[in-house]
Amino acid sequence: MTRNAKINALLLLAVATLAVLPLALGLGDHKEEPFAGADGEAETAITELEPDYEPWFSPLYEPPSGEIESGLFALQAAVGAGVLAYYFGVRRGRRQGAERAPRQEPVPGTGPDADSGRPGEAVSPGPRA
């Protein structure tokens, strides 16, 4: 097993442990919605501390159900991951192209001096005055 494969396996094990550990230890069993998220926790804490608190802003769009809200959040995460993956893919492709470029010889008839008028090549007559 290569070094990179070992590191990937350890990272995968760490992520799986972080996902399963709260469920296995029963964290959140004392709550009505144990894994509701930070927004709900913050709202509860604010209303306990200041019952007359009024929010400064209201949401532009309020989804009709929690499932739709979760779906929109997952869609947002997927689009963000796609943008990041595209960026890193383009960056890696450019780096690999730059590494390969010095090793390759140019194809005759292409490149910056392709229309230089060397003997044996056709040259366009250009615009007429």
Side-chain angles (χ1 to χ4, degrees), residues 79-124:
V79 168
V83 168
L84 282 175
Y86 175 77
Y87 169 76
F88 286 118
V90 166
R91 190 171 168 204
R92 180 177 177 168
R94 286 184 181 165
R95 187 180 69 234
Q96 287 178 345
E99 290 172 358
R100 290 180 186 159
R103 293 181 279 175
Q104 295 178 351
E105 293 187 22
V107 177
T110 62
D113 59 335
D115 291 334
S116 63
R118 286 179 271 175
E121 291 185 7
V123 178
S124 62

Side-chain angles (χ1 to χ4, degrees), residues 1-76:
M1 185 180 257
T2 66
R3 183 173 186 261
N4 284 341
K6 288 179 185 177
I7 290 172
N8 287 342
L10 286 174
L11 287 173
L12 185 62
L13 181 66
V15 168
T17 302
L18 286 174
V20 172
L21 199 60
L23 298 173
L25 295 177
L27 300 176
D29 284 345
H30 63 283
K31 298 180 182 177
E32 189 175 315
E33 294 182 36
F35 304 107
D39 290 346
E41 294 288 327
E43 185 179 347
T44 304
I46 289 170
T47 54
E48 285 177 6
L49 294 174
E50 189 68 41
D52 297 332
Y53 175 77
E54 293 218 9
W56 294 359
F57 301 102
S58 61
L60 297 175
Y61 171 69
E62 187 72 35
S65 70
E67 291 82 10
I68 294 174
E69 186 175 357
S70 295
L72 290 173
F73 183 74
L75 178 65
Q76 176 186 358

